[in-house]
Amino acid sequence: MGKPPEKSIASLVDRYRVTDGKKFRLNDYDPEDTAALSVRGKKAKAASQALLAKGIARLAELQDRLYAQDRWGVLVIFQALDAAGKDSTIKHVMSGVNPQGVQVSSFKVPSPQELDHDFLWRGMLRLPERGCIGIFNRSYYEEVLIVRVHPEILRGQKIPPELVGGRIWAERYEDINAFERYLRRNGFPVLKFFLNVSKKEQKRRFLERLDLPEKNWKFSIADVREREFWGDYRKAYQEAIAATSTPWAPWYVIPADHKWFTRLVVAGAIVAELEKLDLRYPKLDKAKRRELAAARRELK
């Protein structure tokens, strides 16, 4: 029976951060990895839950400063194959923050209006404001993932045929990197999480959705049919992560077979990024302090 070592969540983060994709190989990342932590037994499970609670509490504190300071904004992107746990990770990790300072956007099939614009446009519309954390449940990365696996989608995007050449994916990677650098330079750091679930665990979760009535609503036959393209999706993620892992917008390839561990690492990564921003509550000038003093006298 393993026992979680005494270390902060943030210490787990470096293991999964990718800032240079030249040597990145998706197959080097084990979906079952738990970094020597274990949840076997009541004590170990309680210790893991306590570690997550500590991370969530710190995240709530930092988010409050972010909101008060109103200078930085943070964009958090979640990408994954179906049933990897994006929704539950967002729910648990962000459970302690002020809803006023968090904006969650889910990206579905593009609307006719969205198809009348460039592929980054709908993501731009949903960028967070300063002082807020914006969460993208899927994102503009779908345009180099599902669209690459299903090229018939690309043919319906109204792009002039002469612009759809052999370099279209490389060009989109370049555009994404430039866009994310632009965001960083304007005070909006970008964190990107790929929740790396195994095919075996995905199957187990699909069956659970079929077996448990309270989870039936999550099931879609389309998700099962997409399993036929498992290898194609893995290849698309391999190339996208390798091409868009940068120092200013790193990818985190998070093991997703154990949801408790996924949540630990995601919380740690967001906390670590917010810690870098030196977030502080605004200091009041003399005029404002005099105004507060006058208000105190009046109240008394």
Side-chain angles (χ1 to χ4, degrees), residues 157-168:
Q157 291 190 340
K158 303 183 180 181
I159 303 172
E162 59 269 27
L163 300 181
V164 184
R167 292 197 71 254
I168 187 169

Side-chain angles (χ1 to χ4, degrees), residues 16-213:
Y16 307 107
R17 184 190 292 113
V18 184
T19 57
D20 184 352
K22 291 179 181 178
K23 297 181 179 180
F24 173 73
R25 296 294 179 273
L26 184 53
N27 288 337
D28 292 342
Y29 291 78
D30 181 4
E32 294 189 77
D33 185 23
T34 59
L37 299 181
S38 171
V39 288
R40 297 175 187 171
K42 293 182 179 180
K43 290 184 178 179
K45 185 173 182 179
S48 298
Q49 290 173 339
L51 199 58
L52 178 58
K54 181 179 178 181
I56 291 172
R58 181 58 177 159
L59 176 56
E61 178 185 348
L62 290 167
Q63 186 251 346
D64 194 55
R65 295 183 189 179
L66 177 78
Y67 189 76
Q69 191 181 56
D70 197 27
R71 289 190 178 274
W72 296 90
V74 178
L75 176 60
V76 181
I77 293 173
F78 287 91
Q79 290 288 157
L81 294 171
D82 297 312
K86 297 188 305 301
D87 292 350
S88 64
T89 298
I90 294 169
K91 175 182 176 181
H92 283 80
V93 171
M94 307 307 292
S95 61
V97 302
N98 182 348
Q100 289 186 104
V102 179
Q103 303 160 356
V104 181
S105 299
S106 294
F107 289 81
K108 308 293 185 182
V109 176
S111 69
Q113 183 187 27
E114 289 167 343
L115 289 174
D116 275 335
H117 293 81
D118 62 90
F119 81 94
L120 290 171
W121 181 77
R122 65 175 182 160
M124 293 178 187
L125 291 181
R126 295 169 173 82
L127 290 174
E129 302 168 2
R130 296 192 190 278
C132 293
I133 298 174
I135 297 176
F136 283 6
N137 187 342
R138 301 192 188 276
S139 68
Y140 45 82
Y141 276 95
E142 294 294 283
E143 298 300 323
V144 294
L145 295 168
I146 188 171
V147 177
R148 186 160 192 180
V149 173
H150 297 285
E152 65 274 13
I153 297 175
L154 186 62
R155 290 193 290 272
Q157 291 190 340
K158 303 183 180 181
I159 303 172
E162 59 269 27
L163 300 181
V164 184
R167 292 197 71 254
I168 187 169
W169 308 117
E171 289 168 353
R172 287 192 170 187
Y173 298 147
E174 292 170 3
D175 294 337
I176 288 171
N177 286 337
F179 175 57
E180 291 174 348
R181 185 195 288 268
Y182 166 82
L183 291 177
R184 178 75 202 198
R185 286 174 169 171
N186 282 272
F188 294 88
V190 182
L191 292 88
K192 302 174 296 192
F193 296 105
F194 171 58
L195 305 191
N196 185 24
V197 70
S198 68
K199 194 172 185 180
K200 177 182 176 181
E201 177 62 14
Q202 186 196 57
K203 178 181 178 180
R204 188 196 70 77
R205 293 179 187 178
F206 280 162
L207 289 172
E208 184 178 64
R209 291 178 180 182
L210 288 169
D211 294 339
L212 300 178

